[in-house]
Amino acid sequence: MQSNTIRVSPVGATVGAEIAGVNLAEPLIDQAVATIRLTLADRGVVFFRDQTLRQDQHIALARQFGAININRFFAHVENYPEIALVVKEPRQTRNIGGGWHTDHSYDQIPAMGSMLYAREVPPTGGDTLFASMYAAYDALSDGLKQTLLGLRAVHSSRHVFGVARDDMKGRIGNAELATQDAVHPVVITHPDSGRKALYVNPGFTLRFDGWTDEESRPLLDLLYRHAARPEFTCRFAWRTGSMAFWDNRSTWHYALNDYQGERRLMHRITLEGCEIG
Ligand code: SIN
C-alpha cells in the first residue's frame, strides 16, 4: 500500500494527463484508484513515468480497474494470456496500431480501455498520438450535432483482423475469429463522465447504419478530418517504464511508425467495457 501525494498535470489542451506520485507496482489505495478513474473519464488518457512492473504486477494493476479482456487476435506474452504483445522487431516494417482507431469498436460491448506498458523503446520515434472525441464532438456545429445524434454506424473486425497478412505473422493471428460486427450510436454518452463523444473511427467503422458505403464515405471523411485536428490531440513520447491507460469511448489513438530498423516492445492489457449508447 502507498500514500504518496498524487499530482495530476494536463498534457494536451483537451486530452491526456500525466499522473505522478503513484507506484503502479503496489496495490493502489482507494484515493489513487478514484483519482485515476476521474482523470481518465475527464482527460481520456493518463500517463505514468518510470514504473517498474513485472507481468503479474501489470495484471494485478489492471484488475483494480476491471475485468481483463483476453485478446483474440494478438500474440501474447508466454504464460500470460492476459498480456497482448505489441511489438515491432528491427526487420519488420509495419507496426501495430499505425492509424487512427479506437480498440474493439467492432464488439457490441466494446472494451473500456487499455493499459500499455513500454518495455523497450527505440532511441527516437515510436510516440503515440491520442485524440479527444469529447473535443471533436463539442466543436461540431449545432446542425451537424443534431444530424449525428440520429445516426448509428456499423463497425467491423473483418477487414482488419480477418485478412491474414505475412508482415503480421507471429504478431496478429486467428483471422477466422474476425467475425464481429457491431452497430453503435455515432454520438455516445460516456458512462462515467456523462459527456457526449463522437464514436466513429477510421480503423473499424464501415458506414452509417442504413446508408451505403458510398453515401457514408463523404460524411465519415469529414468527421475523421475534423476529429484528427491537432488541437484535439496530444502526443506521448515513451520511455522504458512509461505506462499509458486510455479510454476507448472518449479517445482515438495512433502509434507512429517512424523508427525503422529499431525494436519497440510494449505489453498491453485491455479491460472489459459496458453497453454504450
Ligand atoms: C495500439 O494500438 O494498441 C498500440 C498503440 C501503441 O503501440 O502505441
Side-chain angles (χ1 to χ4, degrees), residues 86 96-97 101 103 116 126-128 238 246 253 255 264 266 268:
V86 178
I96 292 174
H101 65 286
D103 301 332
L116 187 69
D127 296 355
T128 306
W238 296 91
W246 66 80
H253 56 280
R264 182 176 183 270
M266 318 290 276
R268 193 181 92 177

Side-chain angles (χ1 to χ4, degrees), residues 57-68:
Q57 290 169 321
H58 190 179
I59 292 170
L61 168 71
R63 288 203 170 117
Q64 291 172 84
F65 291 90
I68 293 175

Side-chain angles (χ1 to χ4, degrees), residues 147-158:
T147 301
L148 297 181
L149 284 169
L151 295 180
R152 292 153 62 82
V154 180
H155 303 244
S156 182
S157 62
R158 297 169 198 271

Side-chain angles (χ1 to χ4, degrees), residues 64-96:
Q64 291 172 84
F65 291 90
I68 293 175
N69 170 290
I70 308 239
N71 195 284
R72 356 167 157 71
F73 306 119
F74 284 56
H76 61 73
V77 175
E78 201 177 346
N79 299 325
Y80 294 98
E82 299 92 340
I83 307 180
L85 270 175
V86 178
V87 63
K88 182 170 171 254
E89 300 292 352
R91 70 191 144 76
Q92 294 169 329
T93 53
R94 237 182 120 215
N95 71 338
I96 292 174

